[in-house]
Amino acid sequence: MSILKIAIQKSGRLNEDSIQILKDSGISIDNGNDQLKATATNFPLEVYFLRNSDIPQYLIDGVVDAAIVGDNLLVEKGRNIQVVEKLGFSKCKVSVAVPKNFNYNSITDLNGLQIATSYPKTVSAYFKARQVEIDIHQISGSVEIAPNIGLSDAIVDIVSSGSTLFKNNLKEVEVILKSEAVLAVSPLISDESNQILDKLLFRIQSVLRARKSKYILMNVPNEKIQEISKILPVLKSPTIMPLAEENWSSLHSVIEEEKFWEVIDQLKAAGAEGILVCPIEKIVL
């Protein structure tokens, strides 16, 4: 029987969210402490727990069929690796940062300076495209301390909240790229494994739709149903159920969470009352 081999980060910011999205997709994984490999009990899936920086090469070589990995890592190390879905978590930026006392006006201020980074290819391509010559000092881990100990004039590193930069007296001055976790596929994946991947992708997409949406219920005067229905961005059309109180109905719909606050005042102004917003576990289209 064919089995899909998927890699996720062994530890770090991507690990927990990667495991969670698989679990939310109905996949049970018995992963004990320090396991390098775990098999799902209810889906043809084998999970490899790998060092983050090694994952692109495992995909390229076909050792694993797919991976949940940061998009920034694929930009740096991936080639011929297809991204089939953006997963919406572990969002970050790969940014240029300089000491707070650096008088920065534009990227040309970095011309001829030394930049420490774990992303030499990404950095080289970015500065070359802007015709700025730099000296790259490649290091791994604790990149942000490089200017403080005289290893570099600036850095390029992952920025999430910016707290690490602040603690090291650095400021962000350029964003090279924005990144998030993605589901990536090996160019050597077999047809059998690709069929399993399609089933996994279907599940993941159902989870992602639900994470972005909310189930909304409200009491509406019957004469306002049409007006309120036009306000709501819905999958197709709202569900209408009569209430015990005459000339009133309960209107049910699905709304994108980010759009809710845009329309809430309109709903209330149009006569909606008792508005409830509930989480959704899955949306299957």
Side-chain angles (χ1 to χ4, degrees):
M1 181 180 176
S2 296
I3 192 165
L4 180 72
K5 294 175 290 185
I6 186 169
I8 67 173
Q9 190 179 55
K10 183 180 179 182
S11 61
R13 62 191 183 89
L14 272 171
N15 175 269
E16 290 184 9
D17 287 335
S18 299
I19 292 173
Q20 189 61 53
I21 198 167
L22 293 176
K23 289 183 176 179
D24 289 347
S25 300
I27 298 171
S28 298
I29 304 166
D30 183 17
N31 58 309
N33 292 333
D34 298 323
Q35 269 189 289
L36 297 180
K37 187 172 69 171
T39 302
T41 59
N42 60 349
F43 192 83
L45 185 73
E46 204 166 58
V47 181
Y48 287 69
F49 299 93
L50 304 176
R51 191 169 63 178
N52 196 44
S53 59
D54 292 339
I55 291 177
Q57 194 61 49
Y58 274 68
L59 285 168
I60 292 167
D61 294 342
V63 177
V64 295
D65 303 307
I68 296 176
V69 64
D71 195 25
N72 59 294
L73 200 58
L74 296 182
V75 172
E76 175 67 23
K77 294 189 173 185
R79 58 181 188 273
N80 300 322
I81 297 177
Q82 180 187 7
V83 171
V84 294
E85 188 65 50
K86 293 185 176 183
L87 301 177
F89 57 82
S90 294
K91 292 186 177 182
C92 64
K93 298 171 287 184
V94 176
S95 300
V96 181
V98 299
K100 288 181 180 178
N101 59 5
F102 190 108
N103 185 21
Y104 186 89
N105 297 299
S106 71
I107 196 169
T108 57
D109 292 333
L110 299 174
N111 196 62
L113 300 185
Q114 189 170 65
I115 295 183
T117 186
S118 301
Y119 302 93
K121 291 182 181 178
T122 303
V123 172
S124 178
Y126 182 82
F127 281 90
K128 185 176 181 181
R130 287 153 183 79
Q131 298 181 327
V132 175
E133 293 187 7
I134 56 166
D135 182 16
I136 295 176
H137 186 77
Q138 184 178 352
I139 57 178
S140 60
S142 301
V143 174
E144 64 278 353
I145 70 170
N148 292 331
I149 60 176
L151 280 179
S152 70
D153 303 293
I155 68 166
V156 172
D157 200 15
I158 289 176
V159 176
S160 296
S161 66
S163 61
T164 302
L165 294 183
F166 180 80
K167 290 175 184 176
N168 286 276
N169 293 311
L170 299 173
K171 60 183 179 181
E172 181 183 46
V173 292
E174 298 281 342
V175 176
I176 290 182
L177 61 89
K178 293 182 179 181
S179 176
E180 64 182 276
V182 297
L183 180 62
V185 184
S186 168
L188 301 178
I189 187 171
S190 68
D191 291 340
E192 293 81 4
S193 295
N194 202 40
Q195 290 177 11
I196 301 172
L197 177 67
D198 286 342
K199 294 178 181 180
L200 175 62
L201 182 58
F202 174 79
R203 293 189 182 197
I204 288 175
Q205 288 172 338
S206 298
V207 171
L208 293 176
R209 288 189 204 101
R211 288 183 178 182
K212 296 175 183 177
S213 306
K214 296 294 181 183
Y215 192 74
I216 186 170
L217 307 84
M218 66 197 78
N219 297 331
V220 178
N222 288 345
E223 70 270 16
K224 296 288 187 177
I225 289 176
Q226 187 173 2
E227 178 183 349
I228 288 176
S229 296
K230 289 180 180 178
I231 295 172
L232 285 169
V234 296
L235 292 177
K236 285 190 177 179
S237 61
T239 299
I240 310 296
M241 302 177 66
L243 294 177
E245 185 173 347
E246 191 175 354
N247 298 320
W248 280 78
S249 295
S250 177
L251 187 152
H252 299 211
S253 186
V254 174
I255 184 171
E256 290 183 26
E257 185 173 21
E258 63 181 21
K259 293 182 179 179
F260 172 75
W261 295 109
E262 295 177 14
V263 302
I264 184 64
D265 291 334
Q266 297 177 56
L267 294 173
K268 291 172 65 179
E273 298 180 3
I275 301 172
L276 297 178
V277 181
C278 307
I280 301 173
E281 189 171 308
K282 309 283 189 302
I283 296 180
V284 180
L285 297 180

